[in-house]
Amino acid sequence: YLARTLQARGHHVTVLSRTEDPEAEEFSLYEENVDNVEVVRVVNNRSQISSFRLSYDNPFYDELFSRFLAQARPDVVHFQHLAHFSVSLLPYVSALGYPTILSLHDFFFPCHRIHLIDAQERLCSGPERGERCVSCLEGSAPPDEIRRRFTTMEEVLQAPDVILTASRFLRERILGYFPLVEDRLRLAPLGVQPFPRKARTPRANGRLRLLFVGLLFPPKGAHLLIEALKGLPTEAIEASLYGATLPFWQPYVDRLWEGAKTLAVHFHGTYAHDQLSSILSEHDALVMPMI
């Protein structure tokens, strides 16, 4: 949506995205057109991630990105996320003289697990410059390597010309962990693609219809909804859960299914954006229990 909106204003946009393709050569590129937007996909099956550091700081991308920049010849490089890429691209691109913008959508920079949810699925108060990460990531790498991730992030965050956050909350938390970014940090709420509103359909069985929409993993809090429903009469309330599942979080999803066995809960999987109006119209209340 961002790329299409920029194009509608007369700008030229090329998107570089990571993809997974076991049949393709690692770090190979292929191009496609998506809704009239040029998209270049780089294959990263994580087959060459042989150490903790390479999972976030990966020099394999430098030459690849240099070739991409030579082809796209951008005036501005806007980084949306660097998971499955490499944080080294921020100083690398900046050193080449390109103006750079970094958008922060979560806690990827202070937290290796991205969402400040620890290994026991508890809310984390912060990395304490990597010290708290040592116990959370025990077994992933030696303690010094785990601590080094935080200092590496602190260093690469000096590269972007502008850093955007979508919310005041995220801005305040990032400033608490990385105060050196304050003069470059800007609040820029995300644009939302509008969709038509549909009239709500009547209830067929008299139950209050609750709706959860989101990825089925701990930060989104679907488990809290399941727990809350256990204390409410099943004949009066039902819930629908719409959201994708990730292989890594399958045990969590299995626990959701087990906990919902005796409840009026329906799991629907993913949906297309243009289906959202219809999904909303079939429910009475939207529940957002993110932790």
Side-chain angles (χ1 to χ4, degrees):
Y1 295 129
L2 176 60
R4 289 210 301 264
T5 302
L6 287 169
Q7 286 191 162
R9 295 185 178 191
H11 305 297
H12 181 82
V13 182
T14 304
V15 175
L16 179 69
S17 174
R18 177 255 184 177
T19 190
E20 209 168 301
D21 185 351
E23 303 300 317
E25 181 184 352
E26 194 76 319
F27 300 117
S28 60
L29 297 174
Y30 63 88
E31 301 178 22
E32 61 179 323
N33 185 289
V34 180
D35 296 335
N36 295 319
V37 176
E38 291 180 16
V39 178
V40 179
R41 301 197 187 275
V42 54
V43 176
N44 179 4
N45 299 313
R46 298 179 64 83
S47 64
Q48 297 188 40
I49 307 301
S50 56
S51 70
F52 177 75
R53 178 149 192 167
L54 287 177
S55 67
Y56 65 89
D57 185 8
N58 191 331
F60 293 124
Y61 282 106
D62 292 355
E63 184 185 349
L64 177 153
F65 210 76
S66 181
R67 285 189 279 118
F68 169 73
L69 291 172
Q71 177 182 330
R73 300 175 62 194
D75 296 301
V76 177
V77 180
H78 187 175
F79 291 95
Q80 292 288 341
H81 215 295
L82 285 164
H84 304 294
F85 280 102
S86 174
V87 297
S88 63
L89 292 177
L90 283 168
Y92 181 78
V93 172
S94 181
L96 292 175
Y98 292 97
T100 56
I101 301 172
L102 170 65
S103 282
L104 301 179
H105 299 278
D106 50 38
F107 295 109
F108 168 75
F109 281 87
C111 175
H112 189 69
R113 297 172 64 87
I114 299 179
H115 301 284
L116 287 176
I117 305 293
D118 68 17
Q120 284 72 47
E121 298 176 11
R122 300 171 305 194
L123 193 61
C124 174
S125 60
E128 293 183 358
R129 300 194 58 79
E131 205 59 49
R132 190 186 294 272
C133 306
V134 172
S135 59
C136 185
L137 299 174
E138 187 177 7
S140 302
D144 285 348
E145 277 293 305
I146 294 173
R147 294 186 187 99
R148 187 165 71 170
R149 184 188 186 276
F150 184 88
T151 56
T152 299
M153 296 301 184
E154 196 169 45
E155 291 166 6
V156 300
L157 283 174
Q158 297 182 52
D161 296 290
V162 177
I163 301 175
L164 305 178
T165 65
S167 70
R168 291 184 181 88
F169 171 76
L170 182 56
R171 183 183 186 278
E172 290 167 3
R173 295 298 293 271
I174 291 297
L175 274 178
Y177 307 137
F178 304 107
L180 75 160
V181 305
E182 183 171 14
D183 61 331
R184 292 168 291 128
L185 201 58
R186 305 282 185 274
L187 179 66
L190 297 178
V192 178
Q193 183 74 6
F195 52 86
R197 181 172 180 172
K198 291 189 175 182
R200 193 178 308 164
T201 59
R203 304 177 193 175
N205 55 19
R207 285 174 170 162
L208 180 71
R209 302 165 299 181
L210 303 181
L211 172 65
F212 169 93
V213 177
L215 197 64
L216 294 181
F217 77 141
K220 296 295 183 183
H223 58 285
L224 296 182
L225 174 58
I226 300 297
E227 286 302 312
L229 289 172
K230 290 179 180 178
L232 299 169
T234 48
E235 67 276 6
I237 299 178
E238 63 184 19
S240 297
L241 277 67
Y242 284 82
T245 61
L246 300 174
F248 180 80
W249 288 109
Q250 190 57 49
Y252 172 80
V253 177
D254 292 342
R255 294 202 302 273
L256 292 180
W257 277 85
E258 185 65 28
K261 272 185 177 179
T262 61
L263 305 172
V265 173
H266 315 286
F267 292 84
H268 294 274
T270 57
Y271 63 93
H273 185 81
D274 58 10
Q275 294 176 296
L276 190 53
S277 293
S278 297
I279 293 171
L280 287 167
S281 71
E282 295 165 0
H283 297 86
D284 302 304
L286 179 66
V287 181
M288 302 178 70
M290 286 86 79
I291 61 173

